[in-house]
Amino acid sequence: MLILTRKLGESITIGSEIKVTLLECQGKQVKLGIIAPKNIKVHREEIFEKIQEENQKASTVSKHDLIEIAQIWRKGVKKSTSEEMVSSKHLS
Amino acid sequence: MLKMEERPLKESSMVNLSTNNFGNLSIEKENIITFEQGLLGFEELKQFAIIDVEECLPFEWLVSVEDPIVAFPILNPTLFFSDYKPSLSKDDLVLLDIKKEKDVEMFCIVTLGKKPEDVTLNLKGPILINMKNKMGKQVVLTEDYYSLNQQLIRY
């Protein structure tokens, strides 16, 4: 890991197209400004972990439980126009 | 009952899956969706099929072909959130070889809680599928306003 010290308002560049600027420092929080090409996706690191957790949780859902939930929610969807979409797609 | 001469063709175009939730399933090979990068946390599983169980609709299931015990409940998010229209990155469009927007189907993974109201949708990490070439990917949106566990809204 490369460790650099920067002052408020200073930046680092990564390659020729990515620039990270230290915008604000408040206690334990820092605000970063990132300039990068559109095809480079910038995410908070923990988002991937959280999606993994959600996927893990979803993979344990049983058909039995989903049927119960579906019954409840189908009533909700029925009142909206979405019901027509459901039936034309799957039931006809 | 199938005629004998039709059998070999029929069998070779089908894959049989033995699942926990749905018993034995027969999937047409051409309906198998390939996720080159797997799903987050399930990177080793690359092939899935969408299964509709009538009692579960409007929820559907994304079942792993390689490990049929693994199945994710999914939902077309626009049934509940009609204005859900995340911006798709060029990279994802290229990866899935998406040429027309109408070829893409979008699903969100569903998690259940203790109460019916605790049903949540992952709007932040939707699943994109190019229905033309059967290629899929779970993308992570950069938009901050989409929630990982969005509660469903009753109409």
Side-chain angles (χ1 to χ4, degrees):
Chain A
M1 183 184 276
L2 169 67
I3 300 170
L4 299 172
T5 306
R6 299 275 64 195
K7 288 190 185 118
L8 210 62
E10 290 182 334
S11 303
I12 59 161
T13 58
I14 302 169
S16 57
E17 294 184 299
I18 301 172
K19 185 171 159 181
V20 183
T21 308
L22 180 51
L23 294 178
E24 202 180 300
C25 238
Q26 260 186 0
K28 284 189 174 177
Q29 255 191 348
V30 296
K31 203 174 257 181
L32 302 173
I34 299 149
I35 297 172
K38 263 201 161 161
N39 62 323
I40 304 278
K41 287 175 204 161
V42 180
H43 294 293
R44 293 179 179 84
E45 191 193 17
E46 62 274 18
I47 204 81
F48 286 91
E49 236 165 75
K50 283 188 191 154
I51 290 182
Q52 282 182 10
E53 280 169 28
E54 287 297 304
N55 284 355
Q56 202 74 49
K57 233 164 87 181
S59 73
T60 63
V61 172
S62 75
K63 180 179 146 195
H64 176 261
D65 290 341
L66 194 64
I67 288 174
E68 261 180 45
I69 295 299
Q71 274 172 356
I72 295 162
W73 284 108
R74 236 185 328 231
K75 285 177 207 155
V77 178
K78 241 175 210 165
K79 286 174 200 154
S80 75
T81 51
S82 325
E83 174 67 8
E84 287 154 31
M85 289 164 63
V86 176
S87 35
S88 64
K89 190 172 154 209
H90 301 289
L91 304 176
S92 61
Chain B
M1 191 71 185
L2 292 165
K3 283 182 208 160
M4 283 306 281
E5 60 268 29
E6 281 176 7
R7 272 202 176 165
L9 183 71
K10 193 84 184 166
E11 275 173 16
S12 65
S13 65
M14 306 295 278
V15 178
N16 292 315
L17 308 180
S18 172
T19 71
N20 267 2
N21 271 320
F22 320 102
N24 292 323
L25 290 177
S26 224
I27 310 282
E28 282 186 59
K29 273 187 189 161
E30 61 179 43
N31 287 336
I32 291 176
I33 301 152
T34 302
F35 289 73
E36 277 179 356
Q37 303 170 352
L39 299 184
L40 288 167
F42 295 84
E43 284 78 4
E44 70 289 359
L45 303 177
K46 314 280 190 198
Q47 296 197 311
F48 288 86
I50 295 175
I51 306 295
D52 284 359
V53 179
E54 200 182 357
E55 308 102 283
C56 292
L57 292 174
F59 300 94
E60 298 170 90
W61 292 90
L62 191 66
V63 180
S64 163
V65 172
E66 291 133 315
D67 184 2
I69 287 170
V70 178
F72 303 91
I74 54 172
L75 182 70
N76 171 356
T78 57
L79 291 180
F80 284 86
F81 304 99
S82 52
D83 54 349
Y84 181 71
K85 208 173 186 301
S87 52
L88 307 178
S89 79
K90 232 182 185 167
D91 274 9
D92 293 332
L93 298 180
V94 170
L95 182 88
L96 299 178
D97 195 24
I98 293 167
K99 299 207 169 71
K100 292 177 200 154
E101 212 173 304
K102 67 176 170 55
D103 296 338
V104 190
E105 282 212 29
M106 200 156 9
F107 297 95
C108 289
I109 292 184
V110 178
T111 57
L112 307 187
K114 289 196 178 90
K115 291 177 286 176
E117 301 85 72
D118 295 338
V119 182
T120 66
L121 266 192
N122 183 350
L123 296 181
K124 179 82 177 171
I127 288 168
L128 304 184
I129 298 173
N130 180 349
M131 285 302 181
K132 273 257 167 79
N133 64 7
K134 300 288 190 287
M135 298 277 282
K137 188 190 176 187
Q138 183 170 31
V139 301
V140 180
L141 301 178
T142 44
E143 287 107 323
D144 266 339
Y145 43 86
Y146 287 129
S147 165
L148 270 160
N149 30 38
Q150 172 69 51
Q151 281 190 316
L152 295 186
I153 294 163
R154 196 181 284 277
Y155 284 94

